[in-house]
Amino acid sequence: MTDRWVIHLPITAPDLLRARIFARTAARVLARLSARVEPGGVTVSAEDQQNVRHWVFCDRLLPGGARCALPIDHTTPCARRAPWVSRR
């Protein structure tokens, strides 16, 4: 038995692009509320093909051990946080 549980929260979107945008937004909001949120592990899938998952974040390992927080399809260099995300 494990001491960790994973929450699967089905939310629908009309297409892959909007599903990724919504998932990124939800992950970032939830990550601000709890350190237990792992945005790098967020994936989306078609409702009838849930075994085919599409990554939402790049999540490449950066120098120093941090992970890239940019979208999977970014064209800029990897970064710890998206440049458009405010640092409250």
Side-chain angles (χ1 to χ4, degrees), residues 12-22 44-45:
T12 61
D15 55 48
L16 178 58
L17 175 64
R18 286 183 257 191
R20 281 180 168 160
I21 291 169
F22 189 85
V44 297
S45 65

Side-chain angles (χ1 to χ4, degrees), residues 35-51:
R36 295 187 175 269
V37 175
E38 297 176 23
V42 175
T43 59
V44 297
S45 65
E47 185 173 20
D48 57 349
Q49 291 184 319
Q50 293 185 27
N51 59 327

Side-chain angles (χ1 to χ4, degrees), residues 7 20 22 29-31 37-38 45 49 55 59 61 69 84:
I7 298 169
R20 281 180 168 160
F22 189 85
V29 168
L30 292 172
V37 175
E38 297 176 23
S45 65
Q49 291 184 319
W55 291 101
D59 203 39
L61 189 60
W84 54 87

